[in-house]
Amino acid sequence: MAKLIKISVRNLVEFLLRSGNIDNRIHHAPDTAMLEGGRIHRMIQKSMGPEYQAEVPLSFRIEKEKYTLVIDGRADGIMKREDGSTLIDEIKGTYRDVVKLKEADAVHLAQAKCYAAIYTMDNNLDKVSVRITYCNIETEEQRLFEDDYAADEILAWFNNLLDAYDKWAVYMADWDDIRLSTIKKVQFPYEYREGQKELAAGVYRTIYHGKKLFLEAPTGTGKTLSTVFPAVKAIGEKKAERIFYLTAKTITRTVAEESFEILRKTQGLRFKTVTLTAKEKICIMDKCDCNPAGCTCAEGHLDRINDCIYEFITHEDSFDREKILEYAHKYNVCPFELSLDMSLWADAVICDYNYVFDPFVFLKRFFSDGVRGDNIFLIDEAHNLLDRGRDMYSAELYLDELYLFRKTIEKSHKKIANLVASCEQEMEELSMLGECQVVTDISSLMNKIMVLIKVISGWLEDHAEGKYRDEILDFYFLISGFEAIYELYTDKYVIYTENDEEDRFKVKILCVDPSENLANCMSRAKSTILFSATLLPIQYYKRLLGGDASDFEVYAHSIFDDKKCGRLIASDVSSKYSRRGENEYRKIASYINDIVTSKSGNYLIFFPSRVFMDDVGKIFEKEYYDEDNQEILVQQEIMTEEDREDFLSRFTPGNDIDLSKVIHMDIEVEKSKSILGFCVMGGIFSEGIDLKYDSLIGVIIVGTGIPLVCNEREIIKSFFDGTNDDGFDYAYRYPGMNKVLQAAGRVIRSENDRGIVALLDERFLQRSYTELFPREWKDIKVVSTGSVKMAVNALWKQISPD
């Protein structure tokens, strides 16, 4: 059966433009006029009279031996003229001075010519006219570029495009046969753990029904492979076309890569995957400067990129970071742009959340049309998506950003500076309202910002170079981003003003409830699987992450023997603000000492804040620290990737041995010291790390993890109180408990692990917290400063009797 290939007119012409099959000499930089483009389209379409048909859908289908190609698009306008001729119109709004335009943009013209060719074939025309209509958004002044084509001329041009695309379509058809034939043979690569087969089956059923699944999967369930495997099988059954594996952290991207590689090596799977890395992390230059003067790859990139892609896709199945850099170097192309291009040829895209959810950087090549695609979204560590979603759909603007920008450019750009000053005045008036005010109307400020955006956009489009252009461009992105978020404002948002910790005044548009925005993004997929080891309470996450009543939820069974993990709660200490002081810190230090000295080994101790950690740490070091048998590691406020790796490597048994002393085998190796890692809860070491076996035998958690009280948290609390929910739970308790569960999850990472989890806060005894404990948390011991030592010793005898 021939492979069905669907592609939009725009994607087709953009792809062939860079390969040299379309004259690209006049292809301009992307137009920044997007905010009012729809208004311009409607205005022109209405002005053209009754003979003008607006937004006409067009489709072309061609059958080949190996594939069927369907090209879809929508013409802005088609009109029958009085002389009987037909006009195809492509409308583009712009802030440019249209009088200065010399000719039509190559992509715009090629789009219109595709529509003209399709319409000519459908209606047996002898000739057709193609017009590109440019309209200045501010002045509404128009500039037209029109050409007439005989039918054979326009069809010959279109057939040349099809011929140029043929080798790529043949490749896709051949690859589809290879991919599907191997998927049919793929089996789960290991013996199923208890409950794992049911978990994978639940994922497949969710994809089959086109729903969302909210999956609480405790550590050890093999959730990555248990979601990847059924998603791959669903593609083999043609239930979907592509997987997007979405993560919040680099480490989970690596785990995803490994899962696909396991299926390749053990099952013979042929499946192409690409890992997207942020531009700043993969750029070969010291600073990202995407122009020929600042980047050695920029000059001629478009001339070389398609040859690079073709060799890449025909020789490799894994387009990981190392391979992308290798091919980018070989062809001297931008590695970041190469990775984005490779995503079009990948069966699975492994990337950060923002490539799907962020309104500014989502992958427009897949999602710009807003239609539901044949995609599967696998969202790992989905508990992180809530705060990330709030951040992505919120925006803030500082008064001093306006002031500093104005002072920088005012002598050279007086018109722009004056408009910035008017925005400053509006913000200064808002600052008079008082500290932390919820405001319901900032329309006056936004009207002035929108005028400023138009003026700056026009200047940028007319000036490829100019004094302070980089500063003006950065400022343009700042204010246009703020304006774009304002356009999303609904009853799920709160706008407030405050002076931050540095006394800087800001206006923030806060997306308190991101559920609608996230759900809209998830509608771009046939099915979405959201999974995490800490997705409790599941109804809270289901509601705020865009689920509805018809979506599924599963609490996966933990495969670990609960008897191998001892858990205890301290009944006489707390991290409450009212209790903080030297006496409480000393009691907590005592608890830590009694726990870590009961059994030598490595421990992570998590604190609610850096200040709290330092205060307890000073007492512990002074009164309990055993330098001969212990080593303290402290999480620093700023740590590089190398610092982080060095920190974690100290937990690997034997890493504290000085190898220079054991060159001669007759020298006795001293026993390893216990490593005590002092860390901040919710930080880089409280999730996403995997310390198995003897690398970690205990986790001590000080406090309930609730976020610091601040204006924004209080606004979130008030918002959900107003929706008849428990605002404290939504703003404080649930986010805090998630950090606790993530930290606790560090200690048992495999079936052979044994360890202790100690919760040092009496509030954990309250029902409002015990109800949030995972179901496998049983037989928790309640201890005091006087009984903890004996209780811990007893627990170790239970869980590690040998």
Side-chain angles (χ1 to χ4, degrees):
M1 184 177 178
K3 162 76 171 173
L4 177 62
I5 301 172
K6 294 181 179 180
I7 189 170
S8 70
V9 167
R10 183 173 180 87
N11 282 347
L12 176 68
V13 299
E14 285 189 339
F15 175 75
L16 293 177
L17 171 83
R18 68 184 185 201
S19 64
N21 293 289
I22 299 174
D23 182 2
N24 63 3
R25 290 169 298 170
I26 54 167
H27 181 48
H28 303 294
D31 199 329
T32 51
M34 298 184 66
L35 299 176
E36 297 194 56
R39 179 183 67 83
I40 290 297
H41 275 65
R42 292 187 293 273
M43 180 196 75
I44 294 174
Q45 289 163 343
K46 289 179 181 178
S47 70
M48 296 303 295
E51 300 300 319
Y52 189 95
Q53 295 176 273
E55 304 297 330
V56 180
L58 295 170
S59 183
F60 171 79
R61 183 184 184 98
I62 184 171
E63 305 279 349
K64 293 280 189 174
E65 180 183 353
K66 291 191 173 183
Y67 64 87
T68 298
L69 178 63
V70 177
I71 304 171
D72 292 315
R74 189 179 295 271
D76 291 335
I78 298 178
M79 182 170 65
K80 278 283 188 181
R81 287 169 161 166
E82 291 182 1
D83 62 0
S85 64
T86 299
L87 172 72
I88 308 296
D89 194 16
E90 181 74 9
I91 303 168
K92 298 296 178 185
T94 181
Y95 287 117
R96 295 182 181 130
D97 182 352
V98 295
V99 175
K100 295 180 181 179
L101 296 177
K102 303 295 185 185
E103 52 194 337
D105 178 278
V107 169
H108 303 162
L109 179 59
Q111 276 185 264
K113 289 173 72 174
C114 284
Y115 298 141
I118 296 170
Y119 193 81
T120 295
M121 286 185 281
D122 288 347
N123 294 275
N124 297 314
L125 301 180
D126 295 325
K127 60 181 180 179
V128 66
S129 297
V130 173
R131 184 172 77 192
I132 311 299
T133 300
Y134 290 103
C135 181
N136 184 281
I137 288 175
E138 287 184 286
T139 65
E140 298 183 358
E141 184 177 7
Q142 297 180 26
R143 179 76 186 273
L144 313 178
F145 296 98
E146 185 172 329
D147 290 294
D148 301 322
Y149 299 91
D152 58 353
E153 181 183 7
I154 196 75
L155 295 181
W157 176 89
F158 187 65
N159 285 328
N160 283 337
L161 253 66
L162 299 179
D163 290 342
Y165 195 67
D166 180 71
K167 90 166 182 179
W168 301 93
V170 168
Y171 161 78
M172 284 189 279
D174 289 342
W175 174 250
D176 195 53
D177 290 340
I178 294 168
R179 179 183 68 167
L180 293 179
S181 65
T182 64
I183 291 176
K184 291 183 186 300
K185 300 174 185 177
V186 168
Q187 301 294 321
F188 197 77
Y190 305 116
E191 182 178 346
Y192 282 111
R193 299 170 181 173
E194 184 181 353
Q196 196 172 26
K197 187 173 184 178
E198 291 75 14
L199 191 161
V203 171
Y204 185 88
R205 282 194 298 271
T206 303
I207 296 169
Y208 180 86
H209 291 292
K211 297 291 185 179
K212 302 185 195 79
L213 171 63
F214 292 81
L215 174 60
E216 159 82 12
T219 300
T221 53
K223 58 182 181 296
T224 305
L225 197 54
S226 299
T227 53
V228 166
F229 172 71
V232 168
K233 296 297 281 186
I235 287 179
E237 296 298 323
K238 298 187 176 182
K239 305 302 179 187
E241 186 64 27
R242 181 177 279 108
I243 297 168
F244 285 85
Y245 193 101
L246 308 173
T247 75
K249 298 180 184 296
T250 302
I251 186 66
T252 44
R253 269 165 258 172
T254 302
V255 173
E257 289 176 335
E258 291 171 350
S259 294
F260 285 107
E261 194 60 29
I262 287 169
L263 294 177
R264 290 190 189 105
K265 288 183 176 179
T266 66
Q267 301 297 307
L269 175 68
R270 298 295 307 280
F271 206 79
K272 296 192 183 294
T273 59
V274 64
T275 302
L276 301 184
T277 305
K279 180 187 289 188
E280 295 74 16
K281 292 184 178 181
I282 203 170
C283 180
I284 61 172
M285 308 302 291
D286 293 334
K287 177 184 178 183
C288 296
D289 186 2
C290 302
N291 66 74
C295 178
T296 57
C297 300
E299 184 70 37
H301 170 91
L302 294 178
D303 299 327
R304 300 182 294 272
I305 187 64
N306 276 16
D307 288 339
C308 178
I309 291 171
Y310 195 75
E311 182 180 350
F312 208 163
I313 61 175
T314 53
H315 287 80
E316 311 288 348
D317 284 359
S318 176
F319 315 145
D320 59 18
R321 176 191 172 94
E322 289 70 28
K323 283 295 179 182
I324 287 168
L325 287 170
E326 176 186 328
Y327 278 81
H329 175 74
K330 180 176 181 179
Y331 283 87
N332 191 29
V333 296
C334 170
F336 178 69
E337 290 297 328
L338 175 60
S339 70
L340 294 181
D341 288 334
M342 295 308 294
S343 69
L344 291 169
W345 307 97
D347 305 306
V349 180
I350 303 168
C351 59
D352 188 85
Y353 296 158
N354 60 3
Y355 288 102
V356 168
F357 294 104
D358 192 297
F360 302 108
V361 300
F362 71 91
L363 293 170
K364 296 177 179 60
R365 60 194 68 202
F366 294 108
F367 310 125
S368 61
D369 294 334
V371 296
R372 180 171 180 170
D374 292 329
N375 307 307
I376 299 169
F377 291 166
L378 303 180
I379 304 178
D380 198 356
E381 303 293 355
H383 62 276
N384 287 308
L385 184 58
L386 177 53
D387 282 341
R388 284 286 299 276
R390 281 191 178 125
D391 290 342
M392 287 186 282
Y393 288 95
S394 299
E396 57 190 18
L397 187 63
Y398 282 88
L399 177 59
D400 66 357
E401 290 173 325
L402 301 180
Y403 171 78
L404 293 172
F405 173 71
R406 176 173 59 82
K407 297 301 290 184
T408 299
I409 59 102
E410 63 183 353
K411 291 182 180 179
S412 303
H413 302 278
K414 291 185 178 180
K415 181 179 180 181
I416 294 176
N418 288 336
L419 291 172
V420 174
S422 68
C423 294
E424 285 181 67
Q425 183 179 358
E426 290 292 335
M427 289 193 69
E428 285 168 353
E429 291 181 9
L430 289 170
S431 71
M432 301 296 183
L433 297 174
E435 169 62 18
C436 190
Q437 294 293 314
V438 173
V439 293
T440 57
D441 183 12
I442 59 169
S443 58
S444 180
L445 170 63
M446 296 313 303
N447 289 337
K448 292 186 177 181
I449 286 177
M450 283 188 276
V451 172
L452 179 57
I453 288 171
K454 292 178 182 179
V455 171
I456 293 180
S457 182
W459 185 88
L460 289 170
E461 293 186 50
D462 289 339
H463 297 81
E465 297 179 355
K467 192 170 185 180
Y468 299 121
R469 191 183 192 279
D470 288 346
E471 290 82 357
I472 293 172
L473 182 61
D474 289 342
F475 184 76
Y476 170 79
F477 285 136
L478 173 70
I479 60 173
S480 60
F482 188 78
E483 198 280 335
I485 294 298
Y486 179 73
E487 290 294 316
L488 299 175
Y489 180 80
T490 65
D491 61 357
K492 306 293 186 183
Y493 280 78
V494 171
I495 300 175
Y496 72 94
T497 65
E498 73 167 354
N499 288 80
D500 69 8
E501 295 175 354
E502 299 175 1
D503 203 33
R504 299 171 63 209
F505 177 76
K506 71 178 182 182
V507 177
K508 181 161 186 176
I509 306 169
L510 173 64
C511 180
V512 181
D513 179 356
S515 58
E516 289 183 359
N517 291 325
L518 296 176
N520 288 338
C521 292
M522 291 181 210
S523 68
R524 298 166 179 163
K526 177 177 181 179
S527 177
T528 299
I529 313 298
L530 303 98
F531 53 101
S532 170
T534 57
L535 211 58
L536 297 175
I538 206 162
Q539 293 302 327
Y540 161 74
Y541 286 104
K542 186 176 182 180
R543 174 184 169 182
L544 294 186
L545 294 180
D548 59 44
S550 67
D551 292 324
F552 306 144
E553 57 206 54
V554 169
Y555 193 124
H557 174 74
S558 174
I559 58 99
F560 294 150
D561 183 354
D562 187 60
K563 295 177 182 178
K564 292 182 179 180
C565 183
R567 300 180 182 88
L568 58 89
I569 298 175
S571 63
D572 54 354
V573 290
S574 177
S575 66
K576 283 182 179 179
Y577 290 100
S578 59
R579 296 269 289 274
R580 293 187 182 184
E582 187 172 345
N583 182 57
E584 201 73 8
Y585 298 152
R586 182 164 277 103
K587 287 169 66 178
I588 292 171
S590 173
Y591 262 108
I592 294 170
N593 179 65
D594 285 343
I595 294 169
V596 302
T597 55
S598 294
K599 184 177 178 64
S600 61
N602 300 334
Y603 295 81
L604 285 173
I605 303 104
F606 293 98
F607 296 88
S609 69
R610 179 164 300 279
V611 173
F612 200 112
M613 177 178 71
D614 291 342
D615 289 337
V616 174
K618 289 174 185 176
I619 294 173
F620 180 87
E621 188 171 5
K622 180 180 178 181
E623 300 185 11
Y624 300 108
Y625 177 48
D626 179 359
E627 188 175 358
D628 293 331
N629 296 300
Q630 297 172 338
E631 180 181 351
I632 296 177
L633 301 180
V634 180
Q635 176 185 337
Q636 301 302 309
E637 192 164 2
I638 299 175
M639 298 184 77
T640 64
E641 193 72 23
E642 185 178 358
D643 294 335
R644 177 182 179 275
E645 290 175 1
D646 287 344
F647 185 99
L648 292 175
S649 70
R650 302 295 296 126
F651 285 80
T652 303
N655 269 12
D656 57 344
I657 299 173
D658 186 346
L659 294 178
S660 65
K661 297 179 180 178
V662 294
I663 297 298
H664 304 292
M665 298 304 294
D666 58 340
I667 295 179
E668 183 179 351
V669 178
E670 293 182 5
K671 184 179 179 182
S672 298
K673 295 180 180 180
S674 294
I675 305 296
L676 310 181
F678 281 51
C679 305
V680 177
M681 206 182 326
I684 56 175
F685 298 117
S686 60
E687 62 176 289
I689 63 170
D690 211 18
L691 296 172
K692 295 180 180 179
Y693 314 123
D694 292 336
S695 295
L696 186 71
I697 66 167
V699 166
I700 301 168
I701 299 169
V702 180
T704 56
I706 63 173
L708 293 173
V709 176
C710 64
N711 292 333
E712 188 164 301
R713 281 287 155 186
E714 287 298 293
I715 287 170
I716 294 173
K717 177 180 179 298
S718 178
F719 177 92
F720 286 110
D721 281 337
T723 58
N724 295 320
D725 295 293
D726 189 317
F728 182 81
D729 282 351
Y730 276 50
Y732 293 102
R733 197 189 321 274
Y734 294 162
M737 196 60 197
N738 189 274
K739 289 189 287 185
V740 169
L741 296 178
Q742 278 292 326
R746 298 313 97 206
V747 72
I748 301 293
R749 308 299 297 175
S750 76
E751 295 178 31
N752 297 318
D753 288 0
R754 291 174 169 82
I756 292 283
V757 174
L759 307 179
L760 304 189
D761 198 304
E762 62 197 36
R763 285 174 289 180
F764 284 116
L765 295 171
Q766 298 172 6
R767 183 178 177 183
S768 55
Y769 282 97
T770 59
E771 288 178 340
L772 301 178
F773 289 172
R775 64 175 65 165
E776 59 269 18
W777 281 24
K778 302 171 184 175
D779 300 324
I780 302 175
K781 306 300 181 186
V782 179
V783 298
S784 65
T785 49
S787 65
V788 61
K789 184 81 172 179
M790 185 181 299
V792 173
N793 286 331
L795 282 174
W796 276 119
K797 288 180 180 178
Q798 257 181 273
I799 63 181
S800 186
D802 52 333

